Every structure is written in structure tokens, then in C-alpha cells.
């Protein structure tokens, strides 16, 4: 992944200037990593999917905010730990490849990091402000649920 989170946010801002950020998701799609960034203003919400290797905006759209979404809070990106730091914390609890999502829950920012080694996956929820690991859930991928 050549594109940093900061650069991905710059691409989002170029597409949708001055939006508040709701969530940042770094995940694999079709064998490549992409950032999915959600933002909003007073009337609309905006989503852009950005290739994490070359920075190309792969998909974007906007839609009117639902009534329930009008009181959502933006992430304070200046007070949260970085994607790299969240990955390092999560990988202390599990081995493998990570998918990450930064979003707000009950007024606090959290990194949800899913680490998978192909046979088992572990989700690690990290308080994005103070670095505390809030929860670790392990799941075996080849369970017959």
C-alpha cells in the first residue's frame, strides 16, 4: 500500500471539499487494498472508495442524510492514533493480514481491526484516543457455523 491515510483523506477532500469525516475503512476488495471514506455535511453524506496503491478514486457517491444521521458526530482526526499504530497494537493480539476501520461510537473514536491468517480471524477494538484494547474476539474461519 503506497497511499497513506492522510493522502487518502486528501483525495477524498479533493472530491468532496470541507466534509466532516464519519469513518475510514481500509480493506481488501478484489485482491487489492482500498480506503472507503465516509463524510458528511448538513444535508448529504458522501462516500469514496480509493485504491490504496495508486490513489485512484474507484467509486464515489452522495445521498441525502437520513433524519437519524443529522446528529452524527465527526471524527477528530487530530486526536486519534494512526492506522499504522492501530495495526501494531492489534498484531500484538493476533497474527495475519489486517483490515481496519476508524469510526465513532458513543462519542468516542475506535479502530476496529480484523486480523486474519487464513484459518482464524481476530477482531481487536482499540480506543483510538488512549490506545486501550477494548475487546478481542477470535473466530475460526473454517468453523461450520
Amino acid at each position: 500500500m503506497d497511499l497513506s491515510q492522510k493522502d487518502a483523506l486528501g483525495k477524498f477532500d479533493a472530491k468532496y471539499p470541507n466534509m466532516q469525516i464519519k469513518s475510514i475503512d481500509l480493506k481488501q476488495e478484489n485482491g487489492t487494498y482500498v480506503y472507503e471514506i465516509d463524510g458528511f455535511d448538513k444535508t448529504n453524506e458522501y462516500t469514496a472508495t480509493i485504491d490504496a496503491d495508486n490513489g485512484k478514486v474507484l467509486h464515489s457517491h452522495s445521498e441525502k442524510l437520513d433524519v437519524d444521521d443529522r446528529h452524527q458526530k465527526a471524527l477528530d482526526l487530530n486526536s486519534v492514533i494512526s492506522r499504522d499504530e492501530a495495526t501494531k497494537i492489534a498484531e500484538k493480539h493476533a497474527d495475519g493480514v489486517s483490515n481496519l476501520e476508524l469510526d465513532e461510537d458513543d462519542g468516542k473514536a475506535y479502530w476496529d481491526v480484523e486480523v486474519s491468517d487464513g484459518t482464524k480471524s481476530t477482531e481487536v477494538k482499540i480506543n483510538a484516543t488512549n490506545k486501550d484494547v477494548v475487546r478481542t474476539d477470535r473466530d475460526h474461519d473454517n468453523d461450520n457455523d
Side-chain angles (χ1 to χ4, degrees), residues 6-20:
K6 182 178 179 181
D7 290 340
L9 286 165
K11 297 279 185 182
F12 183 85
D13 190 56
K15 180 80 177 164
Y16 300 118
N18 303 314
M19 294 300 120
Q20 296 188 64

